[in-house]
Amino acid sequence: MNWNKILIVYSKWVLILSRFILLFVVVYHFAFGPGFDYPNSLEIKLDVSEGTFEPLKEVLSIKPEFSDKVESVESLGGSRLINAKMHEGVFTGVGIHTLILVAGVFAFLQLLLQIVKSAERKEFFSSKNVRRIRLIGFGLAGWAIVDYVFTWYRTYIADKYLDSVYLENTRISIPFVPDLFGNTFVIGLIVLIMAQAFDHGLKLEKEQELTI
Amino acid sequence: MAIIVNLDVMLARRKMQSKELAEKVGITMANLSILKTGKAKAIRFSTLNAICTALDCQPADILEFRPDDEL
């Protein structure tokens, strides 16, 4: 057994295991965990440097006119992340965001597994693989856009219901300029270029097969 | 395709079977069939050389150019 084969078999089992773990976590989450019981939670990342971070009560408070809309505000482990629990009726989009993420990760694992399986059969250059790689590319680029929209929306909600200007340099920031290199958008574009390369490889292979 | 492969004609003239030609040239029957049916995208000089040697003919006896509008 050569190294290539070992790598393919190893990748296959890692992906199968990852898919199983993901399914297990989702099932466990719905069967024994909170399930959809957190649609009103809101996670906020404060735009403040570590050195200037002050206790939560001095940084964030609920706007008086919306005191009936926010149930609680708590710091996540003393970091710059704040978790706010809103009352029912305030849509924060967390549930949909998580659902898209889980579905996307599952689809990504499934597509990658099919590519690895085709590699095991030595069928790298096939139209199915080109389609799978394109789907992965579109998925990664699309996820970056979805994530940006949800981040923007969550920040808007946080800005609407919570007061944050208790400390200089502290604000709930709205990311108007998306962080292109900090998310999956550029990776998605690179994967799409790879799909084009695969498409070209497929054409070359067909021509090679028909050269006598 | 404007290039026509006349292998069948040459095989008939030489009274040779496809299987025999494939063996002499060193290609499979499947590849010879691709060549005969005009599905091939390209032919290597080495293959052409082997076919011409086996059939004792010139490349022009096997390959013919016909413009697409005449087909």
mmCIF file of all heavy atoms in Angstrom, chain A residues 171-207:
data_model
loop_
_atom_site.group_PDB
_atom_site.id
_atom_site.type_symbol
_atom_site.label_atom_id
_atom_site.label_comp_id
_atom_site.label_asym_id
_atom_site.label_seq_id
_atom_site.Cartn_x
_atom_site.Cartn_y
_atom_site.Cartn_z
ATOM 1 N N ARG A 171 -17.779 50.297 21.421
ATOM 2 C CA ARG A 171 -19.013 50.424 20.643
ATOM 3 C C ARG A 171 -19.363 49.061 20.061
ATOM 4 O O ARG A 171 -18.508 48.183 19.907
ATOM 5 C CB ARG A 171 -18.871 51.439 19.521
ATOM 6 C CG ARG A 171 -17.808 51.082 18.518
ATOM 7 C CD ARG A 171 -17.570 52.219 17.571
ATOM 8 N NE ARG A 171 -16.472 51.915 16.679
ATOM 9 C CZ ARG A 171 -16.603 51.239 15.550
ATOM 10 N NH1 ARG A 171 -17.768 50.821 15.146
ATOM 11 N NH2 ARG A 171 -15.552 50.984 14.811
ATOM 12 N N ILE A 172 -20.614 48.904 19.744
ATOM 13 C CA ILE A 172 -21.033 47.696 19.037
ATOM 14 C C ILE A 172 -20.829 48.018 17.563
ATOM 15 O O ILE A 172 -21.480 48.894 17.014
ATOM 16 C CB ILE A 172 -22.504 47.369 19.332
ATOM 17 C CG1 ILE A 172 -22.687 47.099 20.828
ATOM 18 C CG2 ILE A 172 -22.958 46.169 18.523
ATOM 19 C CD1 ILE A 172 -24.121 47.059 21.268
ATOM 20 N N SER A 173 -19.859 47.368 16.959
ATOM 21 C CA SER A 173 -19.482 47.768 15.601
ATOM 22 C C SER A 173 -20.300 47.033 14.551
ATOM 23 O O SER A 173 -20.590 45.853 14.684
ATOM 24 C CB SER A 173 -18.004 47.490 15.378
ATOM 25 O OG SER A 173 -17.767 46.112 15.501
ATOM 26 N N ILE A 174 -20.657 47.766 13.520
ATOM 27 C CA ILE A 174 -21.325 47.154 12.373
ATOM 28 C C ILE A 174 -20.285 47.014 11.268
ATOM 29 O O ILE A 174 -19.701 48.009 10.832
ATOM 30 C CB ILE A 174 -22.510 48.015 11.894
ATOM 31 C CG1 ILE A 174 -23.547 48.132 13.013
ATOM 32 C CG2 ILE A 174 -23.140 47.411 10.642
ATOM 33 C CD1 ILE A 174 -24.691 49.055 12.704
ATOM 34 N N PRO A 175 -20.002 45.790 10.849
ATOM 35 C CA PRO A 175 -18.934 45.614 9.862
ATOM 36 C C PRO A 175 -19.402 45.976 8.444
ATOM 37 O O PRO A 175 -19.848 45.132 7.682
ATOM 38 C CB PRO A 175 -18.614 44.121 9.971
ATOM 39 C CG PRO A 175 -19.861 43.502 10.459
ATOM 40 C CD PRO A 175 -20.594 44.539 11.259
ATOM 41 N N PHE A 176 -19.306 47.246 8.101
ATOM 42 C CA PHE A 176 -19.737 47.669 6.767
ATOM 43 C C PHE A 176 -18.836 47.080 5.679
ATOM 44 O O PHE A 176 -19.281 46.748 4.605
ATOM 45 C CB PHE A 176 -19.737 49.195 6.667
ATOM 46 C CG PHE A 176 -20.965 49.813 7.252
ATOM 47 C CD1 PHE A 176 -20.916 50.575 8.395
ATOM 48 C CD2 PHE A 176 -22.202 49.592 6.655
ATOM 49 C CE1 PHE A 176 -22.053 51.119 8.944
ATOM 50 C CE2 PHE A 176 -23.352 50.138 7.203
ATOM 51 C CZ PHE A 176 -23.276 50.905 8.344
ATOM 52 N N VAL A 177 -17.547 46.994 5.988
ATOM 53 C CA VAL A 177 -16.622 46.389 5.025
ATOM 54 C C VAL A 177 -16.370 44.952 5.462
ATOM 55 O O VAL A 177 -15.811 44.722 6.522
ATOM 56 C CB VAL A 177 -15.285 47.166 4.979
ATOM 57 C CG1 VAL A 177 -14.349 46.552 3.950
ATOM 58 C CG2 VAL A 177 -15.562 48.624 4.662
ATOM 59 N N PRO A 178 -16.817 43.972 4.673
ATOM 60 C CA PRO A 178 -16.609 42.589 5.099
ATOM 61 C C PRO A 178 -15.132 42.211 5.103
ATOM 62 O O PRO A 178 -14.371 42.670 4.260
ATOM 63 C CB PRO A 178 -17.373 41.782 4.038
ATOM 64 C CG PRO A 178 -17.686 42.708 2.942
ATOM 65 C CD PRO A 178 -17.523 44.097 3.418
ATOM 66 N N ASP A 179 -14.775 41.405 6.077
ATOM 67 C CA ASP A 179 -13.391 40.951 6.194
ATOM 68 C C ASP A 179 -13.172 39.804 5.210
ATOM 69 O O ASP A 179 -13.412 38.642 5.513
ATOM 70 C CB ASP A 179 -13.152 40.484 7.646
ATOM 71 C CG ASP A 179 -11.735 40.030 7.853
ATOM 72 O OD1 ASP A 179 -10.902 40.305 6.978
ATOM 73 O OD2 ASP A 179 -11.469 39.390 8.886
ATOM 74 N N LEU A 180 -12.706 40.170 4.015
ATOM 75 C CA LEU A 180 -12.607 39.173 2.934
ATOM 76 C C LEU A 180 -11.659 38.027 3.269
ATOM 77 O O LEU A 180 -11.928 36.881 2.941
ATOM 78 C CB LEU A 180 -12.133 39.849 1.642
ATOM 79 C CG LEU A 180 -13.185 40.637 0.870
ATOM 80 C CD1 LEU A 180 -12.568 41.268 -0.349
ATOM 81 C CD2 LEU A 180 -14.350 39.747 0.453
ATOM 82 N N PHE A 181 -10.529 38.345 3.908
ATOM 83 C CA PHE A 181 -9.538 37.303 4.152
ATOM 84 C C PHE A 181 -9.766 36.581 5.479
ATOM 85 O O PHE A 181 -9.075 35.639 5.793
ATOM 86 C CB PHE A 181 -8.129 37.898 4.071
ATOM 87 C CG PHE A 181 -7.785 38.332 2.673
ATOM 88 C CD1 PHE A 181 -7.993 39.628 2.268
ATOM 89 C CD2 PHE A 181 -7.306 37.417 1.753
ATOM 90 C CE1 PHE A 181 -7.710 40.031 0.975
ATOM 91 C CE2 PHE A 181 -7.031 37.800 0.457
ATOM 92 C CZ PHE A 181 -7.227 39.111 0.056
ATOM 93 N N GLY A 182 -10.724 37.076 6.263
ATOM 94 C CA GLY A 182 -10.988 36.438 7.548
ATOM 95 C C GLY A 182 -12.159 35.474 7.480
ATOM 96 O O GLY A 182 -12.542 34.899 8.473
ATOM 97 N N ASN A 183 -12.736 35.327 6.319
ATOM 98 C CA ASN A 183 -13.851 34.377 6.197
ATOM 99 C C ASN A 183 -13.636 33.446 5.008
ATOM 100 O O ASN A 183 -12.535 33.383 4.452
ATOM 101 C CB ASN A 183 -15.189 35.118 6.113
ATOM 102 C CG ASN A 183 -15.232 36.065 4.943
ATOM 103 O OD1 ASN A 183 -14.612 35.806 3.917
ATOM 104 N ND2 ASN A 183 -15.944 37.153 5.092
ATOM 105 N N THR A 184 -14.683 32.767 4.609
ATOM 106 C CA THR A 184 -14.523 31.714 3.590
ATOM 107 C C THR A 184 -14.695 32.214 2.156
ATOM 108 O O THR A 184 -14.656 31.414 1.230
ATOM 109 C CB THR A 184 -15.549 30.599 3.852
ATOM 110 O OG1 THR A 184 -16.857 31.196 3.869
ATOM 111 C CG2 THR A 184 -15.294 29.888 5.157
ATOM 112 N N PHE A 185 -14.879 33.530 1.970
ATOM 113 C CA PHE A 185 -15.158 34.043 0.625
ATOM 114 C C PHE A 185 -13.990 33.794 -0.342
ATOM 115 O O PHE A 185 -14.188 33.251 -1.437
ATOM 116 C CB PHE A 185 -15.474 35.543 0.708
ATOM 117 C CG PHE A 185 -15.989 36.103 -0.580
ATOM 118 C CD1 PHE A 185 -17.288 35.848 -0.995
ATOM 119 C CD2 PHE A 185 -15.175 36.874 -1.398
ATOM 120 C CE1 PHE A 185 -17.765 36.348 -2.191
ATOM 121 C CE2 PHE A 185 -15.644 37.373 -2.590
ATOM 122 C CZ PHE A 185 -16.933 37.115 -2.988
ATOM 123 N N VAL A 186 -12.783 34.171 0.096
ATOM 124 C CA VAL A 186 -11.618 34.005 -0.779
ATOM 125 C C VAL A 186 -11.324 32.520 -0.999
ATOM 126 O O VAL A 186 -11.006 32.097 -2.120
ATOM 127 C CB VAL A 186 -10.390 34.741 -0.181
ATOM 128 C CG1 VAL A 186 -9.128 34.396 -0.934
ATOM 129 C CG2 VAL A 186 -10.628 36.240 -0.236
ATOM 130 N N ILE A 187 -11.480 31.727 0.059
ATOM 131 C CA ILE A 187 -11.260 30.268 -0.077
ATOM 132 C C ILE A 187 -12.245 29.716 -1.115
ATOM 133 O O ILE A 187 -11.888 28.900 -1.954
ATOM 134 C CB ILE A 187 -11.424 29.558 1.288
ATOM 135 C CG1 ILE A 187 -10.395 30.097 2.280
ATOM 136 C CG2 ILE A 187 -11.257 28.054 1.152
ATOM 137 C CD1 ILE A 187 -10.643 29.692 3.714
ATOM 138 N N GLY A 188 -13.508 30.183 -1.041
ATOM 139 C CA GLY A 188 -14.525 29.748 -2.006
ATOM 140 C C GLY A 188 -14.128 30.088 -3.424
ATOM 141 O O GLY A 188 -14.274 29.267 -4.331
ATOM 142 N N LEU A 189 -13.587 31.298 -3.626
ATOM 143 C CA LEU A 189 -13.151 31.703 -4.967
ATOM 144 C C LEU A 189 -12.002 30.812 -5.452
ATOM 145 O O LEU A 189 -11.979 30.405 -6.619
ATOM 146 C CB LEU A 189 -12.706 33.169 -4.968
ATOM 147 C CG LEU A 189 -13.804 34.220 -4.800
ATOM 148 C CD1 LEU A 189 -13.217 35.608 -4.922
ATOM 149 C CD2 LEU A 189 -14.905 34.044 -5.846
ATOM 150 N N ILE A 190 -11.068 30.511 -4.534
ATOM 151 C CA ILE A 190 -9.933 29.646 -4.908
ATOM 152 C C ILE A 190 -10.445 28.259 -5.299
ATOM 153 O O ILE A 190 -10.005 27.668 -6.287
ATOM 154 C CB ILE A 190 -8.908 29.559 -3.744
ATOM 155 C CG1 ILE A 190 -8.228 30.916 -3.569
ATOM 156 C CG2 ILE A 190 -7.868 28.478 -4.004
ATOM 157 C CD1 ILE A 190 -7.419 31.067 -2.295
ATOM 158 N N VAL A 191 -11.420 27.758 -4.538
ATOM 159 C CA VAL A 191 -11.996 26.432 -4.849
ATOM 160 C C VAL A 191 -12.704 26.470 -6.212
ATOM 161 O O VAL A 191 -12.627 25.522 -6.992
ATOM 162 C CB VAL A 191 -12.950 25.974 -3.719
ATOM 163 C CG1 VAL A 191 -13.702 24.722 -4.114
ATOM 164 C CG2 VAL A 191 -12.171 25.720 -2.449
ATOM 165 N N LEU A 192 -13.365 27.589 -6.520
ATOM 166 C CA LEU A 192 -14.034 27.722 -7.820
ATOM 167 C C LEU A 192 -13.008 27.709 -8.961
ATOM 168 O O LEU A 192 -13.255 27.121 -10.022
ATOM 169 C CB LEU A 192 -14.863 29.009 -7.872
ATOM 170 C CG LEU A 192 -16.210 28.944 -7.157
ATOM 171 C CD1 LEU A 192 -16.862 30.313 -7.152
ATOM 172 C CD2 LEU A 192 -17.148 27.937 -7.806
ATOM 173 N N ILE A 193 -11.858 28.356 -8.729
ATOM 174 C CA ILE A 193 -10.786 28.330 -9.750
ATOM 175 C C ILE A 193 -10.268 26.898 -9.901
ATOM 176 O O ILE A 193 -10.008 26.425 -11.010
ATOM 177 C CB ILE A 193 -9.649 29.305 -9.370
ATOM 178 C CG1 ILE A 193 -10.172 30.745 -9.459
ATOM 179 C CG2 ILE A 193 -8.438 29.137 -10.274
ATOM 180 C CD1 ILE A 193 -9.289 31.776 -8.794
ATOM 181 N N MET A 194 -10.161 26.194 -8.768
ATOM 182 C CA MET A 194 -9.729 24.787 -8.814
ATOM 183 C C MET A 194 -10.715 23.946 -9.630
ATOM 184 O O MET A 194 -10.328 23.037 -10.370
ATOM 185 C CB MET A 194 -9.626 24.224 -7.400
ATOM 186 C CG MET A 194 -8.270 24.443 -6.777
ATOM 187 S SD MET A 194 -8.257 23.891 -5.080
ATOM 188 C CE MET A 194 -8.610 22.157 -5.265
ATOM 189 N N ALA A 195 -12.018 24.262 -9.483
ATOM 190 C CA ALA A 195 -13.043 23.533 -10.239
ATOM 191 C C ALA A 195 -12.850 23.769 -11.733
ATOM 192 O O ALA A 195 -13.004 22.842 -12.543
ATOM 193 C CB ALA A 195 -14.434 23.989 -9.803
ATOM 194 N N GLN A 196 -12.491 25.011 -12.100
ATOM 195 C CA GLN A 196 -12.220 25.312 -13.507
ATOM 196 C C GLN A 196 -11.026 24.492 -13.998
ATOM 197 O O GLN A 196 -11.035 23.975 -15.116
ATOM 198 C CB GLN A 196 -11.924 26.811 -13.692
ATOM 199 C CG GLN A 196 -13.153 27.691 -13.675
ATOM 200 C CD GLN A 196 -14.146 27.312 -14.762
ATOM 201 O OE1 GLN A 196 -15.155 26.694 -14.466
ATOM 202 N NE2 GLN A 196 -13.861 27.641 -16.007
ATOM 203 N N ALA A 197 -9.991 24.395 -13.136
ATOM 204 C CA ALA A 197 -8.802 23.609 -13.486
ATOM 205 C C ALA A 197 -9.177 22.138 -13.675
ATOM 206 O O ALA A 197 -8.701 21.472 -14.595
ATOM 207 C CB ALA A 197 -7.742 23.751 -12.400
ATOM 208 N N PHE A 198 -10.057 21.637 -12.816
ATOM 209 C CA PHE A 198 -10.534 20.250 -12.931
ATOM 210 C C PHE A 198 -11.300 20.060 -14.239
ATOM 211 O O PHE A 198 -11.178 19.028 -14.898
ATOM 212 C CB PHE A 198 -11.435 19.910 -11.741
ATOM 213 C CG PHE A 198 -10.782 18.985 -10.769
ATOM 214 C CD1 PHE A 198 -9.739 19.423 -9.971
ATOM 215 C CD2 PHE A 198 -11.194 17.665 -10.649
ATOM 216 C CE1 PHE A 198 -9.129 18.580 -9.086
ATOM 217 C CE2 PHE A 198 -10.576 16.797 -9.760
ATOM 218 C CZ PHE A 198 -9.547 17.259 -8.974
ATOM 219 N N ASP A 199 -12.111 21.061 -14.581
ATOM 220 C CA ASP A 199 -12.890 21.009 -15.819
ATOM 221 C C ASP A 199 -11.950 20.913 -17.017
ATOM 222 O O ASP A 199 -12.178 20.135 -17.953
ATOM 223 C CB ASP A 199 -13.763 22.268 -15.910
ATOM 224 C CG ASP A 199 -14.904 22.095 -16.897
ATOM 225 O OD1 ASP A 199 -15.265 20.928 -17.168
ATOM 226 O OD2 ASP A 199 -15.420 23.106 -17.397
ATOM 227 N N HIS A 200 -10.874 21.718 -16.981
ATOM 228 C CA HIS A 200 -9.885 21.694 -18.059
ATOM 229 C C HIS A 200 -9.179 20.328 -18.092
ATOM 230 O O HIS A 200 -8.965 19.760 -19.166
ATOM 231 C CB HIS A 200 -8.876 22.821 -17.849
ATOM 232 C CG HIS A 200 -7.944 23.006 -19.005
ATOM 233 N ND1 HIS A 200 -8.375 23.417 -20.245
ATOM 234 C CD2 HIS A 200 -6.609 22.802 -19.116
ATOM 235 C CE1 HIS A 200 -7.337 23.474 -21.063
ATOM 236 N NE2 HIS A 200 -6.258 23.102 -20.406
ATOM 237 N N GLY A 201 -8.850 19.815 -16.912
ATOM 238 C CA GLY A 201 -8.223 18.505 -16.810
ATOM 239 C C GLY A 201 -9.096 17.402 -17.389
ATOM 240 O O GLY A 201 -8.611 16.480 -18.047
ATOM 241 N N LEU A 202 -10.393 17.538 -17.159
ATOM 242 C CA LEU A 202 -11.360 16.559 -17.686
ATOM 243 C C LEU A 202 -11.349 16.567 -19.218
ATOM 244 O O LEU A 202 -11.337 15.506 -19.851
ATOM 245 C CB LEU A 202 -12.757 16.907 -17.164
ATOM 246 C CG LEU A 202 -13.918 16.038 -17.605
ATOM 247 C CD1 LEU A 202 -13.754 14.623 -17.076
ATOM 248 C CD2 LEU A 202 -15.238 16.609 -17.111
ATOM 249 N N LYS A 203 -11.314 17.792 -19.787
ATOM 250 C CA LYS A 203 -11.256 17.907 -21.256
ATOM 251 C C LYS A 203 -9.971 17.291 -21.794
ATOM 252 O O LYS A 203 -9.985 16.577 -22.800
ATOM 253 C CB LYS A 203 -11.342 19.381 -21.666
ATOM 254 C CG LYS A 203 -12.760 19.921 -21.667
ATOM 255 C CD LYS A 203 -12.777 21.385 -21.988
ATOM 256 C CE LYS A 203 -14.134 21.978 -21.631
ATOM 257 N NZ LYS A 203 -14.057 23.414 -21.406
ATOM 258 N N LEU A 204 -8.855 17.576 -21.106
ATOM 259 C CA LEU A 204 -7.560 17.027 -21.541
ATOM 260 C C LEU A 204 -7.566 15.500 -21.474
ATOM 261 O O LEU A 204 -7.053 14.831 -22.376
ATOM 262 C CB LEU A 204 -6.425 17.579 -20.671
ATOM 263 C CG LEU A 204 -6.034 19.038 -20.890
ATOM 264 C CD1 LEU A 204 -4.922 19.428 -19.930
ATOM 265 C CD2 LEU A 204 -5.565 19.276 -22.317
ATOM 266 N N GLU A 205 -8.160 14.974 -20.405
ATOM 267 C CA GLU A 205 -8.206 13.519 -20.256
ATOM 268 C C GLU A 205 -9.035 12.870 -21.359
ATOM 269 O O GLU A 205 -8.653 11.833 -21.915
ATOM 270 C CB GLU A 205 -8.781 13.151 -18.883
ATOM 271 C CG GLU A 205 -8.468 11.717 -18.511
ATOM 272 C CD GLU A 205 -9.138 11.280 -17.227
ATOM 273 O OE1 GLU A 205 -10.379 11.361 -17.137
ATOM 274 O OE2 GLU A 205 -8.432 10.859 -16.318
ATOM 275 N N LYS A 206 -10.171 13.529 -21.706
ATOM 276 C CA LYS A 206 -11.014 12.995 -22.778
ATOM 277 C C LYS A 206 -10.263 13.010 -24.111
ATOM 278 O O LYS A 206 -10.339 12.059 -24.901
ATOM 279 C CB LYS A 206 -12.297 13.823 -22.889
ATOM 280 C CG LYS A 206 -13.379 13.361 -21.949
ATOM 281 C CD LYS A 206 -14.641 14.128 -22.142
ATOM 282 C CE LYS A 206 -15.709 13.713 -21.111
ATOM 283 N NZ LYS A 206 -16.829 14.632 -21.088
ATOM 284 N N GLU A 207 -9.534 14.095 -24.354
ATOM 285 C CA GLU A 207 -8.761 14.199 -25.597
ATOM 286 C C GLU A 207 -7.659 13.139 -25.627
ATOM 287 O O GLU A 207 -7.388 12.541 -26.656
ATOM 288 C CB GLU A 207 -8.157 15.593 -25.734
ATOM 289 C CG GLU A 207 -9.170 16.596 -26.243
ATOM 290 C CD GLU A 207 -8.538 17.871 -26.766
ATOM 291 O OE1 GLU A 207 -7.308 17.941 -26.840
ATOM 292 O OE2 GLU A 207 -9.305 18.785 -27.099
#
